[in-house]
Amino acid sequence: MVVFAGQGDARRSMSLLWRSGELGGPAPKPGPKPGLDVDTIVAAGVAVADEQGMTALSMRAVGTRLGRTAMALYTYVPSKSELVDLMHDRVLAELPTEYDTSAGWRPAITTWADDAWAFYLRHPWVLQVSQARPVLGPNEYARLETVVRILGGIGLKPLHARRIIGALFQVVRGMALVAAEHRQAAPETGVPDEEWWAQRSALMAEFAPDFTERFPALATLESTASLAAMTEAEAGGAASHMEQEGREAFRVGLELILDGVEAAVRTGSDGTLHAPAGTP
């Protein structure tokens, strides 16, 4: 399931996201403070999505959680489209915006990536909100600003830096999606991973007895890599072997990108390598 952000009224959505003075809800009246407001509705939406997934999210489900009708919510949040935008930006506020760069930019980026990985697994529904049309909320920009500050001043050309940052975000997001889907597979399908693989492994041997001859390079790789990967998963205490594989692929992918960033910093505009100041 993919949800595209920004599907509601543009002016209303941006006003709610940036709290620009056109907040949702009726004008305040004398008397007791009403028990419903934009923030309360958004928090309830996040709780529904965290507990039941994006497919369960609806204005009715949020209203039920709050003991209200869906119609009561529309005064504050016009539709589910605006609600998704607000939810997405709300949870992004959980991410740190300050990282210690005293030991260099690389440890800071690694810590940032680990925080983002944990965030996605805490709120897997966020991975279903497409990045093709970003939410454009303040916390989304704060997340981007954080990475730009970490990488700022290390010698990357602006366009190159922007594309590297895009690659970093996609490595974290893409591999977190794999891990999140592994967590969801068994409860969603009712079939444990071990049972699913056991059934299909047996059938593979039956229907493709010549698998090793047809795919020799892959068979050789898997024969040696699989045992090592399973040992890592047991040591790492992951929820499943496949989740651990996703975590390690994320780690390796991140290291490769950061190695490339270091190489880019050492490379001058003429394509030759230049040692940073202080390098022997």
Side-chain angles (χ1 to χ4, degrees):
M1 178 183 181
V2 176
V3 176
F4 288 96
Q7 295 303 293
D9 178 79
R11 176 171 292 277
R12 185 67 166 152
S13 293
M14 296 299 283
S15 174
L16 287 167
L17 282 165
W18 290 88
R19 299 296 201 265
S20 62
E22 297 180 33
L23 291 177
K29 299 178 181 178
K33 183 179 180 180
L36 203 60
D37 56 30
V38 173
D39 289 336
T40 300
I41 294 168
V42 173
V46 170
V48 169
D50 282 349
E51 294 171 12
Q52 304 174 49
M54 185 65 87
T55 56
L57 181 69
S58 67
M59 297 298 278
R60 177 179 294 180
V62 175
T64 298
R65 190 176 188 93
L66 294 170
R68 304 295 184 94
T69 65
M71 289 300 296
L73 309 186
Y74 292 130
T75 302
Y76 301 86
V77 179
S79 73
K80 178 181 172 181
S81 293
E82 288 88 356
L83 178 60
V84 169
D85 290 357
L86 291 167
M87 288 166 52
H88 186 275
D89 203 64
R90 163 71 69 86
V91 294
L92 286 176
E94 297 176 11
L95 290 167
T97 56
E98 298 292 337
Y99 287 90
D100 182 10
T101 57
S102 60
W105 63 267
R106 184 161 181 156
I109 281 291
T110 301
T111 303
W112 166 83
D114 287 338
D115 287 342
W117 170 275
F119 164 80
Y120 283 129
L121 293 188
R122 194 161 62 245
H123 302 295
W125 57 269
V126 172
L127 294 164
Q128 294 176 286
V129 180
S130 173
Q131 298 297 288
R133 294 181 177 178
V135 171
L136 304 180
N139 292 316
E140 189 163 63
Y141 280 109
R143 175 174 65 159
L144 184 59
E145 172 80 4
T146 298
V147 180
V148 173
R149 285 203 312 267
I150 293 173
L151 294 179
I154 69 172
L156 294 172
K157 295 180 180 178
L159 182 58
H160 201 186
R162 188 173 73 179
R163 290 169 178 168
I164 287 171
I165 290 169
L168 283 168
F169 272 97
Q170 291 310 313
V171 165
V172 179
R173 180 184 173 89
M175 296 314 304
L177 176 61
V178 173
E181 289 177 346
H182 283 308
R183 288 189 177 186
Q184 295 164 357
E188 289 282 339
T189 64
V191 180
D193 283 350
E194 295 79 5
E195 181 181 339
W196 190 92
W197 281 105
Q199 290 176 345
R200 279 152 183 78
S201 294
L203 291 172
M204 182 67 76
E206 177 183 346
F207 292 114
D210 60 343
F211 183 90
T212 300
E213 290 73 26
R214 293 177 64 184
F215 309 105
L218 178 60
T220 299
L221 175 66
E222 287 301 309
S223 66
T224 54
S226 294
L227 180 59
M230 291 179 67
T231 302
E232 282 185 353
E234 292 173 0
S240 71
H241 161 61
M242 294 305 295
E243 181 181 332
Q244 180 68 12
E245 277 292 277
R247 182 69 176 83
E248 290 304 313
F250 155 70
R251 182 186 61 78
V252 170
L254 178 64
E255 289 295 315
L256 287 173
I257 289 179
L258 298 187
D259 287 346
V261 173
E262 288 190 339
V265 170
R266 293 195 307 270
T267 303
S269 59
D270 58 357
T272 58
L273 290 178
H274 300 276
T279 302

